[in-house]
């Protein structure tokens, strides 16, 4: 690319550099004409060559599109019909915005699936952003967010006379495994790749009575998108 660009620049200025010399010292009009024609021919050749090199180099460096990984919402569509899924649930009078809320026969599952950039080191409740040889504590902590969502959801349900035990609420952070390293296991929430969320939910052995399940489902649609 650099060579091609230099050839293009050189080809453009080449006639102007030598044209002044030829005008000041012309051997003859025919000689001047002949030399000028040759200069422009050389310039055209250089421009074509430079353009060719530029195109070849750029084609060789054009990035290949990576296959797009399915997002967590696409995996959730694989849940059986006895699970009800809500997206972007806003808990009234709180700062909680639940990415995905699943209500099923074996409990309530809160999934934090919002993407944050970077690579992270996880120690209990803390998420540290890893950069070369240093780490900085993140402002946006998915683990703390999903636990806050659990608390706010429980309080919201109780304010509508729906008593839910914390054991029925399972907070999950779905995050790509190649972007985090666990130094100490997370506290009171579950961290896993998006493609493991469905098997995890289906393997939970808890049981929520159908009446409570229907009460929760009836409350949520007014606060989700």
């Amino acid at each position: 690319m650099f060579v091609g660009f230099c050839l293009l620049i050189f080809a453009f200025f080449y006639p102007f550099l030598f044209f002044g010399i030829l005008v000041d010292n012309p051997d003859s009009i025919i000689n001047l004409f002949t030399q000028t024609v040759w200069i422009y021919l050389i310039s055209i050749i250089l421009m074509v060559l430079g353009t060719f090199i530029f195109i070849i180099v750029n084609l060789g460096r054009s990035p290949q599109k990576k296959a797009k990984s399915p997002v967590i919402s696409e995996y959730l569509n694989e849940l059986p019909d006895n699970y009800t899924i809500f997206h972007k649930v806003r808990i009234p009078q709180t700062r909680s915005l639940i990415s995905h809320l699943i209500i099923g026969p074996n409990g309530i599952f809160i999934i934090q699936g919002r993407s944050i950039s970077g690579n992270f080191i996880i120690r209990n409740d803390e998420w540290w952003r890893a950069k070369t040889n240093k780490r900085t504590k993140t402002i946006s902590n998915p683990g703390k967010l999903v636990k806050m969502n659990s608390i706010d959801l429980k309080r919201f349900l109780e304010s509508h006379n729906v008593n839910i035990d914390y054991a029925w609420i399972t907070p999950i952070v779905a995050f790509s495994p190649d972007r985090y390293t666990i130094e100490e296991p997370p506290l009171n929430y579950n961290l896993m790749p998006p493609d493991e969320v469905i098997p995890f939910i289906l393997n939970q052995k808890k049981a929520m009575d159908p009446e409570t399940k229907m009460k929760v489902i009836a409350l949520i649609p007014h606060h989700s998108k």
Side-chain angles (χ1 to χ4, degrees), residues 10 69 98 115 124 140 149 159 175 211:
F10 178 73
S69 300
I98 299 174
S115 178
N124 294 333
S140 178
N149 292 343
S159 70
F175 206 71
E211 182 180 355

Side-chain angles (χ1 to χ4, degrees), residues 110-112 141-151 170-173 188-190:
I110 296 176
I111 301 176
Q112 175 58 252
N141 184 322
K144 289 184 177 180
L145 284 175
V146 76
K147 291 200 295 184
M148 180 184 70
N149 292 343
S150 301
I151 295 170
T170 303
I172 301 171
V173 175
N188 303 318
Y189 70 93
N190 303 275

